[in-house]
Amino acid sequence: VYVALSGVPDLEEDDLAFLWGLKIIVGKGIHSKDNQVVLEPVVRELLEDVFHLQVSETSEGTFRVYRQDLWAIKCEGVWPPKWLKEGKKPPKAWLRRRQKLPEL
């Protein structure tokens, strides 16, 4: 996920990721012990609580990072942002970014 997001600033503005969002496949857990979902809660926590990105469920075992958040990363020009590299909390502007972005 980290590596995939690091490529977002280099995407062309007409890339389909900015239309559909970034699809992340975490699996249904069918190969884990007792068929328990293992990756989904960990990846979701990373995206929502650490990276402060909004994700949506698409189907069992997958979800998407919202296109507006991908556009915010593109506009930022770099991933990871400085605050994340330094282990700091995100600035208020990052937390309010969805209010400033046009609906895509």
Side-chain angles (χ1 to χ4, degrees):
V1 172
Y2 189 88
V3 173
L5 291 171
S6 69
V8 170
D10 298 326
L11 294 176
E12 296 294 324
E13 291 181 12
D14 62 350
D15 193 282
L16 290 177
F18 299 119
L19 181 63
W20 298 104
L22 176 66
K23 185 175 185 178
I24 300 173
I25 302 169
V26 292
K28 299 177 187 178
I30 61 172
H31 299 291
S32 65
K33 186 178 180 180
D34 299 325
N35 292 329
Q36 295 291 319
V37 175
V38 177
L39 291 177
E40 191 274 334
V42 175
V43 173
R44 180 178 289 280
E45 180 181 353
L46 176 70
L47 289 166
E48 292 180 338
D49 298 341
V50 178
F51 296 167
H52 296 276
L53 299 172
Q54 190 175 9
V55 298
S56 67
E57 303 253 350
T58 56
S59 63
E60 189 176 15
T62 67
F63 49 85
R64 290 188 189 272
V65 175
Y66 278 95
R67 57 191 178 184
Q68 290 90 344
D69 280 352
L70 295 180
W71 189 250
I73 293 170
K74 170 83 173 162
C75 292
E76 190 80 14
V78 65
W79 185 266
K82 185 177 178 182
W83 59 265
L84 186 60
K85 281 194 218 178
E86 295 175 351
K88 297 180 179 176
K89 292 186 178 195
K92 290 180 182 177
W94 180 257
L95 297 174
R96 292 190 312 255
R97 71 192 176 283
R98 287 184 201 92
Q99 298 169 359
K100 297 179 181 180
L101 292 172
E103 181 59 35
L104 301 175

